[in-house]
Amino acid sequence: MSYLAHLAVIAADNDRTWFNSPAIQQQLGSAVKETLLMVSTSALVSIVIGLLLGVILTATRPHGLLPNRPVNQVLGLAVNLGRAIPFIILMFWMIPVTRFIVQTSSGWRGAAVPLAVSAIPYFARLVESNLSGVESGKVEAALMMGASRMRILGGVLVREAMPALIQSVTILIITLIGYSAMAGSIGGGGLGSLAVNQGYYNSNVDVVTIVVIVIVAIVAIVQMCGDMLSRLVDHR
């Protein structure tokens, strides 16, 4: 039976399907809450550490404000290695570390740790790219006015790149939402777990469909908020 034919069958008998489904009525709310907790926690950690690493990578480049070739190369290598490890493998590989940090390797807390570790190098490269896009003339003008290099890093580079940084944060959060669904399918909880365990394994196409619609709605809201904030801080 095709997917559309399956949808037509369950649409005709909706006593225990769609929003009358026990899985949706009893688990959808908690699954949404777990996904939001998983994504917000990992995003917050990734933004703080990734922003710091991105600023250091930019500052220590050969023509940066604080050139330091060894630091830049070692940090760049670590970031590249972190980005190269597939998330699924990283999640299994980090189980002992995750248990040490949050006392569990399952549920949204167990998934938030590998999600953050996976996203930190990704966001660091986004930050480096955003800061590199700032016009060099603004940095040179600040140097001529006697501003310290540390002050220029935060007061000129980060401030001027703020619209692009907010767009990068938006991309990061949307990426984490996708990864959280993947983590949910292997014990991470949230919407991914609901779709796989109650939808796929029990052949409840209606449950999977509702979960997909909820995820798309969350992504649309995040994108809309990111676009709005980016426009608010863009004074060019």
Side-chain angles (χ1 to χ4, degrees):
M1 183 181 294
S2 68
Y3 179 78
L4 291 178
H6 197 167
L7 282 179
V9 170
I10 62 176
D13 181 15
N14 62 357
D15 286 345
R16 293 178 63 81
T17 58
W18 300 106
F19 288 102
N20 291 325
S21 166
I24 293 298
Q25 291 185 349
Q26 297 168 12
Q27 300 180 36
L28 181 62
S30 60
V32 171
K33 180 182 177 181
E34 287 179 355
T35 293
L36 294 179
L37 286 170
M38 196 187 320
V39 171
S40 59
T41 303
S42 55
L44 181 61
V45 174
S46 306
I47 291 168
V48 172
I49 301 178
L51 178 63
L52 178 62
L53 293 179
V55 169
I56 295 174
L57 280 169
T58 305
T60 57
R61 296 168 69 176
H63 300 292
L65 288 167
L66 302 167
N68 189 316
R69 189 182 181 88
V71 171
N72 186 269
Q73 289 187 335
V74 171
L75 194 56
L77 178 63
V79 167
N80 290 340
L81 288 175
R83 295 174 64 197
I85 303 174
F87 172 67
I88 290 292
I89 296 175
L90 181 69
M91 189 169 180
F92 287 118
W93 187 47
M94 285 193 60
I95 285 178
V97 178
T98 302
R99 283 179 177 159
F100 176 76
I101 295 174
V102 296
Q103 309 302 313
T104 180
S105 61
S106 61
W108 74 266
R109 288 189 301 147
V113 175
L115 275 174
V117 172
S118 176
I120 286 171
Y122 174 69
F123 187 63
R125 284 301 186 196
L126 287 177
V127 171
E128 183 186 19
S129 175
N130 296 153
L131 297 184
S132 299
V134 176
E135 294 178 15
S136 59
K138 294 182 178 180
V139 175
E140 293 170 359
L143 284 171
M144 292 177 64
M145 293 174 65
S148 68
R149 294 175 186 271
M150 294 300 293
R151 189 178 181 85
I152 292 173
L153 279 174
V156 177
L157 277 180
V158 173
R159 189 181 62 184
E160 290 294 328
M162 192 57 71
L165 287 172
I166 291 176
Q167 289 291 352
S168 293
V169 169
T170 304
I171 294 172
L172 171 73
I173 294 174
I174 291 174
T175 302
L176 284 171
I177 291 172
Y179 277 24
S180 74
M182 192 188 307
S185 67
I186 51 176
L191 290 166
S193 177
L194 178 62
V196 172
N197 295 327
Q198 298 297 330
Y200 177 73
Y201 288 129
N202 291 317
S203 300
N204 292 326
V205 180
D206 52 323
V207 173
V208 178
T209 303
I210 290 175
V211 168
V212 170
I213 292 172
V214 171
I215 292 175
V216 170
I218 293 174
V219 168
I221 292 171
V222 170
Q223 185 67 61
M224 183 179 66
C225 292
D227 290 343
M228 183 177 65
L229 287 173
S230 180
R231 286 195 298 270
L232 284 175
V233 301
D234 190 353
H235 302 298
R236 291 173 291 183

